[in-house]
Amino acid sequence: MKKPIYTILIITFTSLLGLYIWEKETEDPITSGEIHALIQQGETQIDLTKLTDLEWTEIGAFGPYTTDEMIEDSMGVKFLFGGIDVMETKFLLVFAKDKKVVKTVSISREYGDYSIKDNQFLIVNKVNN
């Protein structure tokens, strides 16, 4: 009698865990590295459509101390990434399609701060050393 109950509990738990993982947006370290390389070459306006074949309808750039709730309110999406609110050294790019986050990219603030232009270009506001 207990075996079917345990089986049902295991299947339910596994299914819920799978849904959570499936819904969780993914970090893209490759795009992050490509952005850093372009900035090191002196680029101050980067066309993000040329760096990824990812489709998005909206992109946001969020600096340190931005909470998940602030990202959700700004973009109208459910945001599950977590942690940018305590990362002083990173900016986070959030790509969304149809109000769903599809990819995140973290970029170092050592090069400056960032903004988005025309929902396509990453603008690098370099710091003066």
Side-chain angles (χ1 to χ4, degrees):
M1 181 72 173
K2 288 186 177 184
K3 188 173 181 179
I5 292 173
Y6 288 127
T7 303
I8 290 171
L9 285 174
I10 290 171
I11 290 171
T12 302
F13 176 75
T14 305
S15 298
L16 290 174
L17 182 62
L19 283 174
Y20 174 76
I21 292 170
W22 183 263
E23 287 292 320
K24 190 159 177 73
E25 52 274 1
T26 57
E27 174 80 18
D28 186 348
I30 295 171
T31 302
S32 177
E34 291 172 346
I35 289 171
H36 288 147
L38 289 169
I39 294 170
Q40 289 171 345
Q41 295 170 15
E43 295 290 330
T44 57
Q45 180 170 300
I46 299 169
D47 186 345
L48 295 170
T49 62
K50 294 182 179 179
L51 291 183
T52 180
D53 59 359
L54 182 67
E55 292 182 27
W56 69 84
T57 54
E58 185 176 5
I59 183 172
F62 300 96
Y65 311 115
T66 303
T67 65
D68 292 355
E69 291 79 19
M70 293 165 79
I71 294 171
E72 289 176 350
D73 290 345
S74 173
M75 297 184 74
V77 297
K78 180 68 179 159
F79 189 71
L80 303 171
F81 180 79
I84 190 71
D85 56 337
V86 294
M87 285 197 269
E88 188 173 297
T89 60
K90 300 279 185 185
F91 250 73
L92 188 68
L93 301 181
V94 179
F95 296 83
K97 182 176 182 182
D98 303 324
K99 300 297 180 186
K100 181 176 185 216
V101 175
V102 292
K103 188 71 71 180
T104 60
V105 175
S106 65
I107 40 182
S108 175
R109 287 189 68 211
E110 77 177 278
Y111 308 109
D113 288 336
Y114 307 92
S115 59
I116 300 296
K117 177 182 170 189
D118 299 331
N119 203 42
Q120 176 179 349
F121 299 99
L122 177 67
I123 304 301
V124 182
N125 303 307
K126 292 192 174 193
V127 292
N128 296 326
N129 291 332

